[in-house]
Amino acid sequence: PDLCTFTSEFYTHRHPRSAVGFLKNGKWVFVVVDGRQKHSTGFTMMELARFMEKLGCKGALNLDGGGSSAMVIDDKLVNVPSGREYSFVKKERLISNAFLISPK
């Protein structure tokens, strides 16, 4: 089905998103989009798909989003996760899943 026909807020509203994609040359692309904040409104699912395509991805997978959308490079958090909605401090959510990538 065409993604545009979905009406769920998951698809049609902007949210923080995480995605992984692959390029024609076999390299991987990892993307985290902040959202639900003054400085960042997130992506709809279609905006995320188009963004991954614009980056040159031949295929992509949407991952867990929301407060789980966090990226750490060299032990440094490089984005601003939306955090818990009921928290006064916006910080990354405690999660047990991760993509771990190490240099060759």
Side-chain angles (χ1 to χ4, degrees):
D2 184 8
L3 194 58
C4 295
T5 62
F6 290 109
T7 58
S8 164
E9 288 185 9
F10 175 79
Y11 297 102
T12 61
H13 285 69
R14 288 183 166 177
H15 296 289
R17 307 277 182 181
S18 296
V20 59
F22 62 91
L23 304 173
K24 187 176 181 180
N25 64 8
K27 292 188 179 192
W28 293 82
V29 174
F30 294 87
V31 171
V32 173
V33 179
D34 290 335
R36 298 185 191 138
Q37 301 173 60
K38 289 180 183 179
H39 73 276
S40 179
T41 58
F43 275 170
T44 66
M45 190 60 72
M46 185 57 73
E47 288 170 334
L48 177 63
R50 288 186 178 132
F51 183 74
M52 297 301 283
E53 187 176 52
K54 197 178 276 192
L55 292 176
C57 293
K58 298 301 173 192
L61 177 67
N62 177 64
L63 304 172
D64 194 16
S68 299
S69 293
M71 183 176 284
V72 176
I73 299 175
D74 292 329
D75 294 326
K76 184 176 189 280
L77 184 65
V78 296
N79 72 310
V80 182
S82 63
R84 297 184 185 128
E85 297 304 316
Y86 56 84
S87 174
F88 289 111
V89 178
K90 299 286 189 175
K91 61 181 181 178
E92 65 272 21
R93 183 180 292 162
L94 297 175
I95 57 172
S96 60
N97 301 352
F99 272 105
L100 301 175
I101 305 161
S102 65
K104 289 184 177 183

